[in-house]
Amino acid sequence: MDRNLKNQAGVTLIELCISMVIISFTALIICTFSKSTLRMNKDALSNDAAYLAAEQKIVKLKSEVFNHIPVSNSDNVTLENIHFTRDWTIEQSGYLLLARVTVSWNSPYGIKQITLAGTVN
């Protein structure tokens, strides 16, 4: 009877291989989800910085005086180590001056842009 117990102690090579395969698949799935989560976080940071760049431009345009309407121009700005290009136009709509600011930037997945509009008078 002692002889049978000694033969059953420990882990077999097959059990060890199966557990290693399960651990490997689990690690692969976790790495895949981590990569997509990091990419989504970077995209969200870029979008937030682009909205901030557009808001800053609209606030600056509110303090300026415009002699000729329509007005359009562009500039470059860097926020959060991301280079943005801002294009803006100012048009008259009735008694209001409307500003439209378009911010574009290069991402690893192509050129992205957002547009923000507001009044400047």
Side-chain angles (χ1 to χ4, degrees), residues 36-113:
S36 65
T37 301
L38 289 174
R39 182 184 56 137
M40 287 187 295
N41 285 342
K42 184 172 172 73
D43 285 345
L45 177 67
S46 299
N47 286 340
D48 287 346
Y51 276 108
L52 179 64
E55 285 179 30
Q56 286 176 344
K57 190 61 187 176
I58 288 179
V59 167
K60 186 174 181 181
L61 290 173
K62 285 183 179 185
S63 67
E64 295 180 11
V65 176
F66 302 100
N67 296 326
H68 304 290
I69 303 297
V71 176
S72 64
N73 208 341
S74 67
D75 69 350
N76 295 314
V77 65
T78 301
L79 296 171
E80 301 291 335
N81 294 326
I82 304 167
H83 302 288
F84 297 104
T85 301
R86 294 186 296 197
D87 299 307
W88 67 88
T89 59
I90 298 175
E91 299 170 342
Q92 186 145 5
S93 175
Y95 293 106
L96 297 176
L97 293 178
L98 299 176
R100 184 175 312 273
V101 180
T102 301
V103 179
S104 58
W105 70 98
N106 290 326
S107 77
Y109 309 102
I111 296 174
K112 293 190 173 187
Q113 70 178 22

